[in-house]
Structures are given as C-alpha cells and as structure tokens.
C-alpha cells in the first residue's frame, strides 16, 4: 500500500506521530546544546561526565525527573494545578503541526498557517496562568500576572514582524512563503528584511520569557516564578513545553526569513538544512539570553508599547510601500 | 534627620512578602519583610543577626597573636582589610613601629583584596539582576574567573585563598616568594584588559542602565546623616576616602585618584567601583616598583602566647575596606588579651540606609539596590 | 530608555550598537579556552606554601619523632583544637598523646609557626571529605601517617620565624638584604 493511497487523515496522523517522536528526541538534545553553548560563552565546559562528552545528560535528567517525588501543596487547587502543565504543553506542541519540513511533508499545510501558529502559540498563557493560580503561592501568582501582561503586549509586535515576510510572499500559507524565497531569502531583502528579522528575534525572546525579558521567572527574586511549586515529571513537562515553544519559534523564523529547506545538495537534504537553520536561530536567541541582564516588568512593557509596536507598524507601512513601489504596474 | 516612614499595615492591596534569610539574592543571611502594594514597596522591616558569632566577645578571650586570623572572618570577602584594622588598633595603642616593607606589603595585599572583592561584587550583582540562567551568570563567571587569578596569587604568598592570617602585630607574617612579583604583574595586566571587557558589556548596555540609572538614589544629605561609607558615600557626591584623607600604612606614598559621582544611584556606585578597580591596579604597580627591602615585622615571629603585650590604652583604627570604613576600637589593659574590642563593620552602617531608599521602588529594584550596597553579613552581624 | 533629546533614530542606533558590543564580548569569550580543571582526574599544582592537612614529622636523620610535647601549639591554637600530653623521658620529652580536631581547625598555621622543633607541619593536600566526623579527629598515629603520605608544604616553625625576624640593631642594612635573600633561598630550597 503506497503512501499516496492512504486517506489524507491517516497520512496526517502518521506524519504527526513521526514528527512528535522526532521532536521529543530533538528537544532533549536541544537542551544539551543550549547548556554546552552557554558554557562555552562562559569559559567553561558544559556537562561532560555523563556519557561521552555529556551526550547522555538529557537522558539522565529525564530519568532523574521521573524518579522525583511529585509534591502537590496542600492548599493548591488540585484540578487546576494538575492540569496546568498539560494545558501548557499542548499549544507548544500544536504549533509544529503547521510547519512544513519539506515541500509536501508536514502534518497540515493550512491556508492560514501563520495565523494558526501565532494564535495557538499565545494560548500557552492559559496554561501558565493556571499554573500560577493553582499553586496557591504569592510568588507564582506575581509571576503569572507579569506573564500575562508581557506575552499579550509582545504578541502584537510579534505578529507585525511576521507579517513582513507574509506581505513579501503574498500568502499566509507557510509552504508558499518558503517557496517564495527561492530567489532571495527574506532576510537578505534590503533593509526591510534585516529589520524585520531583528524585530522578530526581539519579540520572540520576549514572547517566550527568555532573558532579558524573563522577569516572570526571575530566579533571584521570584525563585522560578509560576513553576515554583512543580516538581518531578510535571516540571519536566513544563520545561519541555517551554523549549518546544522556543524551538517552534526558531523553526518559524528559519522558515520566514532564512529560506526554510533551501540549501545546496539533493532535495532530501532539505529537512536537514531546515533543522540547521532553526538551530541557528535558536542559538541566536540563546546567545542573546546569555549576554544580558533582565529588565523590570514596567520597562519591558514600556519597550513593547512605546518602542516595538510603533516601530513594527512603521515597518509594515514601509514594507507595503516597498512592495507597491517595486511591483510593475500592469 | 530624614524621617523613616512608619509601616502602615492598613490598606486592602497590601501584601507582606518575606525576602527571607534563604533567598538567592539576599547576599548572605538577611531578612527583609517587605510590605508591597502591587509591585511597589511601601514598607521594609530589616532583620539581621542570623550570622552573629560573638566576635567581640571572642576577641576578649583570644590573645593579640591569635585573633588576627579570626578577624578575617568578619568581612570574609575582604579579609585583608579586616585583619588590618585589628592589628593597626593594637599597634596604635602600643606605639609599635611597622617596618616600611611591611607597610608596603599591607598596601599591596589590601589593594589586591579590593580587586578580588569588587570582582565578587560585580559578579553577584549582575547575577541577581540577570538571573542564574542568563546574562548575569555569564558576567558572574567572567568575574569569578578573574578573581580566581587573584586568589591564586594569595595562595602562593600566604597558603590560603580566602581567610589569611597574614597580619600580625608589628608587621606581616609572610614575605614575597621568588617569582611572585612577575606573576602579580602579569595577573593585574590581564585583569585590566578584562575590565575593559566588562565595561564594554555593561556601561552602555541599555538593559543594564535601565535597571540601574535612577534606582536607589541616596541623596548627599542622607548619606551624611545615616553614616554610610565607601562607594556609597563617594557615589553620592562626597569626596571622602580614608586612604587619602587619613592615610595609614604608607598610603600617602602613592598616587591614586578617588572616584566621586554625584548621582547617588546604583549606576553611580557601579562607576565608582569600576574606577576603584583601575586605581587599585595603579597602586599595586607603584608598590611593586617601589617595594623596599627590609624586615617584614618589627617584632619577632610569634613563638608563644604571652609574646605580645599591649600596654594600657585605647585606640580606634579605621581602614578603607572595599565596602567602606572598617574600624576596630580596642581597649587594652596591659596583658596579652584586649579588655574590649568593638568592631565597626562597614556593611552594618551601610545597611541602615535601606529603609530610606527602598520605599517606593519595585520588587525588582530591591534586588538591584541590595546588590549595589554590597553587604557582607559577616561584618553586619559579627 | 528613550532619550527625548536625541531623537528616536539616534537612540535606536546607539542601543543597537551597545547591544552588539555586549554580544561581541560574549562571542569573543566563546573562543577562549575554558578554564575548567578536570578535577578529580586532574589536580592543579599546589603552591609551595599551601596550607593543607596537618601532620607530625619524624627527624630526617635519626628517624625519631620531632615532637617534644611542649604544648606550645596547644596554647596558641585559636579554636583550641589541639590537645597534647607530655611524656617525660631521660634525654628528651615526647608527646604521650596528641589529638587534633581537624573538623574545627581553621588552618591558620599558628601551630606550625610556634613549634620549636618543626614537628607539626602542613601538607599540600586538602582531601578531607569523609562520611564520619570521627575520622577527622586525628590522633598521633594518624598525624604521623599523614606526614608520610603527602607532600609537605614549605612552612615550618623555624622558617616562618626566620622570615618574620626583625634584624639585629647593629647592621640593619646587611641583615635587611640578608632576610630578603634568605626568604628566596628557603623558597628555592623547599622548591617545586
């Protein structure tokens, strides 16, 4: 029974299963990549004792978290507390459903791919707030309140920044955006491409609660923020979800700006190039993370509303003007 | 005297949050009971004493030859300055002369200690502000990397890295070994280079300046009234440095600038300490160039408990430690143990400014301010 | 963050420049050799004067114990961790028992400094970790064993006291140069 003969629903299901499986493996090793990269930035070696050059470290971490005691505070709101990690995880995994990993390979190639991605990825706020509320902990509550503020504020400039490649490609469908970069990657588009990429990175860092915008988990003040009461596998799920979100945004960035699967070599090497580009974006976000101190929540919001939003609106206007100017009139 | 606002516990939105003795950014064991209204601090109740180890009583039971190594445990991050205050007080009462070489060695060690202490301050402060998983940790590890070099220097001279027992009444205990001077010059040249890197990373960094400019401003009047010292004083516009105003231990032989900033906020204190780094390096170079030959102690090395007897009298000796004025008031009664010792810890007086400047700032600013005040609770609680 | 005086484009440019500078420093550090020492596979070399474990020594020529049980170290020790009982004999005295509570020792080297016979010294080793605190209550046999197990540090009582000795009043200049030279010589002799 050939692949094409299967009904599209079954095709999507199998594809989803394969992608989820590959994703979990990649996620585990992305954490190791981040730790080693961060270590080298800090003149030290990352994990190196577990397995050859530390390659078994993620597995060791997973086993450790599995074996830890699952502590639920007595006064916590149990259903909310227990469901929160799952509600947090689902949107972060769903965003991978709409990314095409190669022309034709992907779970679903929606007409409104970009819109779906952005909408679903901001649903993680629900899980986050459930975690903060259900923990019955002042620190967690403070952190959840800050998180809602921050993610909502930065979603707008994030949308504007992703709209630039959409306008340049003329479609919301992710595979079409990737195909439209066959001549020129959008990051190489004079001025507008670079600025849009910079804005994308900034707002992505903010929307994912990474330093310098990670006030909601400011360890030195709030000691892990909304995650403070979680231990064991629930904590592992929350961590996994956060990294999945970062990786998903990196894939989106690679697709929107870096040409997705375009690269030298045969066509089946495409997904590998895509992964490498996504890891490049991920390392860029990580490099930003490990270079700066964090700013206060009111400053974060000020940057968003007073700087990023007007700037990204201006950028959209400029993009529209450029497109009109460069389109030959019929 | 500016009035401290009394804490008003009435009000519906008030939240009492305990930044407890165990806290990642408490800089030691410090308990601040913050009353918050939303994100603004409206009241602070500081509780100290978690590290009280009865130093002053201990000094009454230990002889002058035994106590210096214990004195280093008050301000354990800047142990050399702490020991120096004690032995200077004893020498002042007994009119003991300290040979020139010993004085120069004391200056050398104090300035190296200042560099090490400021390295730790910068690293931990940035880590508090930037997170253990983030840029703060990066700067922390860079600073610790440099501090390790200085501690290696101490280790090859004294044998210990953190708590030395270097001073004794009448001089110092250890002389410079072969090859130490060259190593020292290499190290401070490297640190000077790395300082350029830190300043490049932080000085114009908008994230850093947003967190530190305008935050925790201590006015000049407040600084004078409350009795702060060290970088807090100089960051608020007062030009006072004990090394220049009341020179001790041959400090007047050396040329160095004393940084003063007018703004009084965290950024001003940061700039003061960064300039102090470079001035310390300058002093060290002058010491190494001009180190005279000679004995390192005017009294023979410790052979027995009853060796050092200080005649009756009392004296207060003050040194400019990295955190401010460290003082030791000794009352001697002619025996080999002091009758009474009173320790003035710099951080104890510096912390007194907290209820005045923490009111009205956000929770995140509390962390930035605590870090820029740079307390070490060994000398707060003694 | 926004400085009204300079205008938004100049401000944005300066922010971008500063951010780029900070990231450049981190990038530069990426290529530096890590400073990690792979302890415990690799131990860094101890400096000559390292103040580590304490030990009792034997005389190099005769093989006798150096300790004469004079109890000077017991009296000088600030945290009072040393307990010595003297055993009188014909030619010289010995220490009948010598206990040192290593868990309370503050490694100040004062006992080494006062010892008239260079009996107690410190070693170039700090491997103290143990699961049972009683193992850190060192008795005389244990102290002698430590003395044979590890490499001794430079400092002994006589060397330290010589280093700190002020010159005789007669010829200050000659003795001054002498002291500095002696310090160098003793360090070289005890050498790496």
């Amino acid at each position: 029974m050939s692949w094409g003969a299967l009904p599209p629903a079954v095709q999507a299901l199998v594809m989803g299963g394969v992608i989820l499986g590959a994703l979990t493996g990649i996620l585990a090793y992305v954490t190791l990549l981040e730790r080693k990269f961060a270590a080298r930035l800090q003149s030290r070696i990352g994990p190196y004792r577990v397995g050859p050059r530390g390659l078994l470290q993620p597995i060791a971490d997973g086993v450790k978290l599995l074996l830890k005691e699952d502590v639920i505070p007595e006064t916590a709101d149990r259903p909310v507390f227990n469901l929160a990690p799952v509600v947090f995880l689902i949107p972060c995994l769903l965003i991978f459903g709409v990314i095409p990993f190669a022309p034709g390979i992907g779970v679903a190639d929606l007409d409104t791919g970009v819109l779906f991605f952005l909408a679903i990825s901001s649903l993680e706020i629900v899980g986050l707030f459930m975690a903060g509320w259900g923990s019955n902990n002042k620190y967690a509550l403070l952190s959840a309140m800050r998180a809602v503020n921050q993610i909502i504020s930065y979603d707008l400039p994030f949308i504007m920044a992703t709209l630039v490649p959409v306008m340049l490609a003329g479609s919301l469908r992710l595979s079409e955006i990737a195909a439209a970069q066959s001549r020129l990657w959008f990051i190489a588009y004079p001025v507008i491409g670079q600025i849009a990429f910079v804005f994308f990175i900034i707002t992505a860092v903010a929307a994912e609660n990474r330093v310098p915008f990670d006030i909601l988990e400011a360890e030195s003040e709030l000691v892990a923020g909304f995650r403070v009461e979680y231990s064991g596998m629930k904590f592992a799920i929350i961590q996994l979800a956060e990294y999945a979100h970062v990786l998903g945004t990196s894939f989106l960035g690679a697709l929107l700006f870096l040409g997705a699967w375009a690269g030298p070599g045969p066509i089946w090497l495409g997904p590998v190039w895509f992964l490498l580009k996504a890891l490049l974006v991920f390392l860029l976000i990580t490099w930003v993370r490990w270079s700066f101190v964090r700013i206060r929540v009111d400053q974060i919001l000020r940057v968003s509303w007073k700087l990023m939003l007007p700037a990204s609106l201006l950028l959209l206007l400029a993009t529209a003007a450029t497109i009109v100017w460069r389109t030959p009139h019929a | 005297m500016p009035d401290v606002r009394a804490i008003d516990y009435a009000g519906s939105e008030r939240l009492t949050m305990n930044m407890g003795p165990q806290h990642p950014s408490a800089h030691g064991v410090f308990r601040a009971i913050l009353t918050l209204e939303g994100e603004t601090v409206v009241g602070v109740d500081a509780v100290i004493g978690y590290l009280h180890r009865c130093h002053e009583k201990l000094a009454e039971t230990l002889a002058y030859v035994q106590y210096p190594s214990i004195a280093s445990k008050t301000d354990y991050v800047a142990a050399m300055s702490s020991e120096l205050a004690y032995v200077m007080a004893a020498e002042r009462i007994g009119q003991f002369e300290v040979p020139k070489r010993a004085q120069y060695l004391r200056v050398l060690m104090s300035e190296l200690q200042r560099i090490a202490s400021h390295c730790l301050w910068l690293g931990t402060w940035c880590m508090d502000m930037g997170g253990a998983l983030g840029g703060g940790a990066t700067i922390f590890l860079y600073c610790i990397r440099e501090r390790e070099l200085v501690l290696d220097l101490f280790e090859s001279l004294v044998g210990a890295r953190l708590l030395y027992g270097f001073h004794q009444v009448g001089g110092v205990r250890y002389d410079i070994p072969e090859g130490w001077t060259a190593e020292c010059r290499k190290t401070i040249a490297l640190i000077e280079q790395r300082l350029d890197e830190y300043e490049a990373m932080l000085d114009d960094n908008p994230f850093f300046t947003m967190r530190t400019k305008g935050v925790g401003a201590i006015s000049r009047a407040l600084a004078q009234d409350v009795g702060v010292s060290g970088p807090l004083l100089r960051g608020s516009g007062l030009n006072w440095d004990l090394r220049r105003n009341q020179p001790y231990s041959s400090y007047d032989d050396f040329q160095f600038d004393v940084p003063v900033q007018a703004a009084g906020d965290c950024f001003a204190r940061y700039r003061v300490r960064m300039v102090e780094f470079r001035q310390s390096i300058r002093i060290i170079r002058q010491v190494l160039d001009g180190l005279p030959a000679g004995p390192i102690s005017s009294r023979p090395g410790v052979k027995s408990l009853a060796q050092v007897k200080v005649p009756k009298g009392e004296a207060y000796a003050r040194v400019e430690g990295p955190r401010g004025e460290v003082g030791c008031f000794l009352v001697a009664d002619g025996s080999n143990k002091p009758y009474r010792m009173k320790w003035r810890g710099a951080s104890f007086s510096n912390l007194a400014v907290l209820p005045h400047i923490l009111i009205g700032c956000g929770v995140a600013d509390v962390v930035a301010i605590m870090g820029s005040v740079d307390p070490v609770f060994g000398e707060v609680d003694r | 963050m926004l400085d009204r005086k300079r205008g938004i484009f100049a401000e944005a440019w300066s922010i971008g420049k500063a951010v780029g500078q900070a990231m450049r420093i981190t990038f530069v550090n990426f290529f530096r050799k890590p400073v990690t020492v792979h302890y415990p596979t690799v131990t860094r070399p101890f400096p000559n004067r390292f103040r580590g474990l304490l030990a009792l020594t034997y005389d190099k020529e005769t093989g006798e114990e150096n300790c004469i049980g004079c109890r000077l170290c017991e009296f000088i020790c600030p945290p009072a961790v040393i307990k010595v009982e003297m055993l009188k004999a014909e030619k010289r005295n010995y220490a009948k028992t010598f206990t040192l509570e290593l868990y309370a020792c503050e490694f100040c080297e004062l006992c080494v400094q006062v010892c008239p016979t260079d009996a107690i010294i410190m070693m170039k080793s700090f491997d103290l970790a143990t699961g049972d605190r009683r193992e850190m209550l060192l008795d005389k046999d244990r102290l002698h064993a430590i003395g044979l197990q590890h490499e001794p540090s430079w400092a002994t009582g006589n060397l330290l006291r010589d280093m700190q000795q002020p010159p005789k009043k007669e010829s200050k200049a000659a003795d001054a140069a002498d002291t500095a030279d002696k310090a160098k010589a003793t360090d070289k002799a005890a050498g790496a």
Side-chain angles (χ1 to χ4, degrees), chain A residues 50-78:
Chain A
V50 187
R53 306 183 81 96
L55 282 173
L56 291 181
Q57 181 72 39
I59 302 180
D61 283 339
V63 172
K64 175 200 81 164
L65 285 168
L66 263 176
L67 295 176
K68 272 198 192 264
E69 181 188 353
D70 189 12
V71 179
I72 303 181
E74 209 171 293
T75 47
D77 193 346
R78 271 180 171 248

Side-chain angles (χ1 to χ4, degrees), chain B residues 267-329:
Chain B
F267 191 77
R269 296 192 276 274
Y270 157 79
R271 284 305 313 155
V272 165
R273 288 192 177 103
M274 295 308 278
V275 176
E276 277 184 7
F277 257 120
R278 292 190 193 275
Q279 296 305 312
S280 288
I281 293 181
R282 193 171 158 195
I283 298 177
I284 292 175
R285 287 209 174 104
Q286 291 175 46
V287 173
L288 288 177
D289 288 337
L291 190 61
I296 57 171
S297 173
S298 65
R299 307 176 62 82
V302 171
K303 269 195 301 234
S304 72
L305 198 57
Q307 193 167 351
V308 175
K309 286 200 168 70
V310 176
K312 269 202 186 136
E314 53 187 46
Y316 177 69
R318 36 202 333 203
V319 305
E320 181 78 21
R323 283 166 189 82
E325 174 182 326
V326 179
C328 180
F329 176 71

Side-chain angles (χ1 to χ4, degrees), chain C residues 48-135:
Chain C
N48 249 340
R49 299 187 180 181
F50 186 75
R51 291 195 208 154
L53 291 177
L54 287 140
L56 286 172
T57 55
Y58 296 106
D59 194 316
K60 284 204 179 44
E61 287 107 49
T62 63
E64 291 225 330
E65 297 167 0
N66 268 328
C67 179
I68 56 171
C70 66
R71 305 178 76 195
L72 276 175
C73 54
E74 177 177 350
F75 297 140
I76 199 83
C77 179
V81 303
I82 302 183
K83 307 273 186 298
V84 184
E85 280 177 12
M86 186 194 277
L87 176 68
K88 283 197 188 312
E90 314 157 332
K91 301 258 180 53
R92 50 159 284 188
N93 298 328
Y94 290 92
K96 186 159 77 174
T97 61
F98 192 114
T99 39
L100 194 146
E101 297 169 271
L102 201 59
Y103 46 82
C105 172
E106 61 171 38
F107 297 92
C108 60
E109 215 168 39
L110 277 172
C111 55
V112 176
Q113 175 152 353
V114 299
C115 182
T117 55
D118 296 348
I120 186 167
I121 56 171
M122 294 181 101
M123 304 267 120
K124 287 187 192 172
S125 165
F126 57 76
D127 277 324
L128 307 173
T130 162
D132 187 353
R133 200 182 282 187
R134 285 171 291 190
E135 281 181 46

Side-chain angles (χ1 to χ4, degrees), chain A residues 188-203:
Chain A
Y189 210 84
V191 184
I192 293 181
Q194 283 100 47
I195 298 183
F197 186 63
V198 169
F199 281 11
F200 179 85
I201 295 288
I202 296 175
T203 50

